[in-house]
Amino acid sequence: MSEVFATDVAIVGAGPVGLFSVFELGLLDMKCHLIDILSKPGGQCAELYPEKPIYDVPGYPVINGQELVDNLMKQAHPFGPTFHLGEMVERLETLGTAERPLFRVHTDAGKAIEAKVVIVAAGGGSFMPKKPPIPGLDAFENTSVFYSVRKMDHFRGRRVVIVGGGDSALDWALNLHPIASRITLIHRRAAFRAAPHSVNAMHALVESGQLDFVLGQVTSVKGEGGQLAALVVRKESGETVDLPCDDMLPFFGLTMKLGPIGEWGLNLHENLIPTDTARFETSTPGIFAVGDINTYPGKLKLILCGFHEAALAAQKAHHYVYPDKKLVFQYTTSSTNLQRKLGVS
Amino acid sequence: MTKITFIDATGEPRTVDGQDGSTVMETALRNSIPGIEAECGGACACATCHVYVSDEWTEKVGSPSQMEEDMLDFAFEVRPSSRLSCQIKVSPELDGLVVTTPAKQG
């Protein structure tokens, strides 16, 4: 039984454009729920370049990714958005009609968000784990090869190989070490990106013989019926060895994939969603696409273009959420009504 | 203009003009070179513009910075000649540079 939330607008993606959509929709009295696969808001700005300067956000000669996200969060705050983070939208169900749209957005955490309007602000798609290009690896996925740890107990008494040198790899090596029968960490070099205290803790376990570390790269896997038997590892010396194991956890960071959006019945053009340029609505009335995920003649993948798209999409969204209300355009500088909503009057 | 040759994973070479001051990654994108994704747009934040610098060029191109070396952990089949092409600046000294793109970026 899924948990159902009712709202005006469901926004898929909590990147900069999704966050600014909350503001534009909020000015027009629409409440939002946002769903994002990352554990924090901000999308690429927060995940890929939190400390990189951005030079083309109007009004900011320079601002870094995280500052922009923090400011957008502040700007959205008066409208009390609800965030569903660390969740992916798996399925989109259409309940209403073209004139009175109603949708139900289902997440992989078993939640359902019912909304009159859906705004897809999914950027480059969902951030998903990078999968090593090892032939036949997918046959072991979710039975013997895992890209995240959902149930630690699965690894009890098993020989687990963790591949990578970042925080995920080190954290899981340390956390699973008391549970697994043996942990082997494989990394391509002796240096680690992970936090120094985790690296020190790992070295201490290696020194006391409680954890194995192998300098090398996995080149192929052996096993059958979804169960790994061994990994073939090319060591730094060039020597190739078989490393017997039950489970493998590769941690090679994240990459963006369109994911389930491709199956929502929207028109797609090269993994982008075509929209009109007046309302940024998709081929399905009530579903809008804004930011990097949409395409139209002249489209530029710029944050500033996404902001513009969000403002125009909100105007049409109002028509679906409040079909009987006339929308009067107002400025935040002069409208006491808008200022009251922003909590500044 | 500086000539740069990209050899794809199947061995097919493509030679294009690189603008001095731009990066090898930008040169690849501008010329629609397959095998370079550059998901993060050149922020040294994704390792999807991974290339192998050909042996005769490794010295001239130089070695990766600490940040780039960290990011290469996210690439697959990393070799001593591995670089992220967004971190290689095109310059007249690199005229004739040859790089190979890996079978898979991410």
Side-chain angles (χ1 to χ4, degrees):
Chain A
M1 186 63 199
S2 59
E3 203 178 343
V4 182
F5 299 84
T7 188
D8 295 324
V9 182
I11 302 175
V12 184
V17 177
L19 293 176
F20 192 65
S21 300
V22 174
F23 177 84
E24 288 293 335
L25 293 159
L27 286 179
L28 306 182
D29 297 317
M30 289 173 274
K31 287 277 178 205
C32 305
H33 279 232
L34 297 97
I35 307 99
D36 200 293
I37 195 162
L38 294 177
S39 58
K40 54 184 184 288
Q44 290 180 49
C45 285
E47 179 65 26
L48 286 183
Y49 48 87
E51 282 153 29
K52 297 277 170 182
I54 309 170
Y55 299 101
D56 59 357
V57 177
Y60 291 95
V62 58
I63 186 166
N64 74 33
Q66 191 57 50
E67 283 168 350
L68 179 64
V69 172
D70 292 345
N71 281 346
L72 286 163
M73 286 292 283
K74 237 180 264 175
Q75 207 166 9
H77 179 77
F79 305 108
T82 304
F83 289 90
H84 304 272
L85 298 173
E87 293 180 36
M88 182 168 72
V89 176
E90 275 185 336
R91 203 159 55 84
L92 180 76
E93 198 183 347
T94 306
L95 304 171
T97 61
E99 292 74 35
R100 292 283 171 100
L102 187 65
F103 304 96
R104 205 175 265 179
V105 170
H106 297 269
T107 80
D108 62 353
K111 291 181 191 165
I113 295 144
E114 206 169 279
K116 299 178 188 84
V117 167
V118 173
I119 295 188
V120 185
S126 299
F127 277 97
M128 294 186 183
K130 269 194 193 174
K131 300 180 178 183
I134 298 169
L137 195 65
D138 50 346
F140 300 95
E141 217 171 279
N142 297 323
T143 50
S144 211
V145 172
F146 301 88
Y147 293 99
S148 62
V149 176
R150 296 243 165 179
K151 270 171 69 182
M152 280 174 68
D153 212 46
H154 168 87
F155 301 96
R156 188 172 299 281
R158 290 169 72 91
R159 296 165 300 172
V160 181
V161 175
I162 295 176
V163 191
D167 284 314
S168 303
L170 273 281
D171 288 353
W172 283 118
L174 298 174
N175 288 330
L176 291 176
H177 154 256
I179 294 171
S181 76
R182 195 71 191 171
I183 297 273
T184 305
L185 180 67
I186 301 180
H187 185 40
R188 69 175 185 95
R189 57 186 180 127
F192 292 84
R193 294 184 318 283
H197 64 89
S198 324
V199 177
N200 293 340
M202 181 274 294
H203 281 310
L205 287 174
V206 171
E207 267 162 42
S208 61
Q210 299 179 69
L211 192 144
D212 297 320
F213 174 61
V214 177
L215 201 59
Q217 297 182 61
V218 179
T219 55
S220 60
V221 294
K222 292 179 178 175
E224 56 184 41
Q227 176 55 57
L228 284 178
L231 305 181
V232 181
V233 181
R234 192 178 56 235
K235 290 190 168 182
E236 208 198 17
S237 57
E239 176 199 6
T240 301
V241 294
D242 273 17
L243 183 70
C245 76
D246 301 310
D247 292 318
M248 175 190 184
L249 293 166
F251 292 112
F252 286 91
L254 303 172
T255 184
M256 286 176 284
K257 299 267 180 253
L258 184 64
I261 292 174
E263 289 142 38
W264 294 353
L266 300 172
N267 281 343
L268 287 181
H269 177 71
E270 289 177 355
N271 278 348
L272 297 169
I273 305 173
T275 62
D276 69 283
T277 52
R279 304 300 184 204
F280 303 96
E281 198 165 14
T282 68
S283 52
T284 306
I287 302 182
F288 298 79
V290 293
D292 285 359
I293 193 95
N294 75 10
T295 184
Y296 49 83
K299 167 71 183 182
L300 287 180
K301 287 189 184 186
L302 289 176
I303 293 172
L304 73 97
C305 296
F307 290 167
H308 158 81
E309 293 157 14
L312 295 200
Q315 297 283 314
K316 179 72 184 285
H318 184 272
H319 166 80
Y320 291 123
V321 175
Y322 298 109
D324 305 323
K325 273 193 199 167
K326 195 166 169 278
L327 186 57
V328 181
F329 182 70
Q330 300 173 85
Y331 289 102
T332 56
T333 40
S334 52
S335 160
T336 49
N337 179 29
L338 293 186
Q339 288 166 0
R340 188 174 38 74
K341 293 177 198 174
L342 289 166
V344 293
S345 74
Chain B
M1 283 293 182
T2 299
K3 294 268 185 229
I4 299 175
T5 301
F6 295 86
I7 303 176
D8 71 18
T10 68
E12 196 184 325
R14 291 175 180 84
T15 301
V16 297
D17 285 324
Q19 212 174 348
D20 294 333
S22 71
T23 68
V24 171
M25 178 277 281
E26 289 168 324
T27 306
L29 289 197
R30 211 170 289 140
N31 291 282
S32 309
I33 298 291
I36 300 279
E37 289 179 16
E39 212 166 68
C40 79
C44 195
C46 74
T48 60
C49 65
H50 176 204
V51 295
Y52 303 114
V53 176
S54 68
D55 291 345
E56 63 274 25
W57 285 97
T58 47
E59 206 169 307
K60 222 167 222 178
V61 170
S63 46
S65 67
Q66 183 60 43
M67 177 174 69
E68 183 183 342
E69 191 67 69
D70 279 353
M71 204 38 66
L72 276 167
D73 284 351
F74 291 138
F76 300 117
E77 279 287 323
V78 177
R79 303 175 196 160
S81 63
S82 287
R83 290 290 312 264
L84 295 181
S85 57
C86 71
Q87 301 300 304
I88 307 173
K89 276 248 190 298
V90 177
S91 66
E93 298 84 74
L94 295 187
D95 189 29
L97 174 66
V98 180
V99 300
T100 304
T101 51
K104 188 171 181 262
Q105 288 285 5

